[in-house]
Amino acid sequence: MCHSFSPEMAEQLPPDEDICDLADFFKVFGDSSRLKVLWALHQGELCVSHVAEMLNMSTAAVSHQLKILRQSHLVRTRRDGKNVYYSLADDHVLKILDMGLEHIYE
């Protein structure tokens, strides 16, 4: 038997625009290469070539994934001369990754 429904329950839903934005946000996590890059950056700040070496990927492939992650505000950059270093944008990114693994390990 279903629990009773009230109109207030529907009012608790986020606006459709926010739901669409959230869906786009989670799509970024739907690519295994991007997840590998995020986990590599969990180790700390790295340049593209170090991420590529760590993941056995080409620098072009890593650069492409970092561009998407940066546009999604999941990674940030720091320039030091000619070198650009990448890191996780904030602790939320790591929490999302940890919670995802926790869920699949259950």
Side-chain angles (χ1 to χ4, degrees), residues 36 39-41 43 46 49-57:
K36 288 178 183 180
W39 277 108
L41 294 176
Q43 308 298 319
L46 296 168
S49 61
H50 289 152
V51 174
E53 183 178 339
M54 186 179 208
L55 301 178
N56 196 30
M57 293 172 64

Side-chain angles (χ1 to χ4, degrees), residues 39 97-106:
W39 277 108
L97 294 172
D98 285 340
M99 287 174 42
L101 275 182
E102 184 180 316
H103 181 74
I104 64 169
Y105 289 157
E106 288 182 350

Side-chain angles (χ1 to χ4, degrees), residues 22-76:
L22 186 60
D24 290 341
F25 175 76
F26 279 115
K27 284 179 190 175
V28 176
F29 288 94
D31 182 275
S32 61
S33 294
R34 284 192 288 273
L35 287 174
K36 288 178 183 180
V37 171
L38 289 171
W39 277 108
L41 294 176
H42 170 268
Q43 308 298 319
E45 187 178 67
L46 296 168
C47 64
V48 174
S49 61
H50 289 152
V51 174
E53 183 178 339
M54 186 179 208
L55 301 178
N56 196 30
M57 293 172 64
S58 70
T59 54
V62 170
S63 292
H64 175 72
Q65 300 305 336
L66 284 167
K67 178 182 177 185
I68 294 168
L69 293 168
R70 188 172 180 205
Q71 289 171 340
S72 300
H73 307 287
L74 295 172
V75 299
R76 64 176 173 226

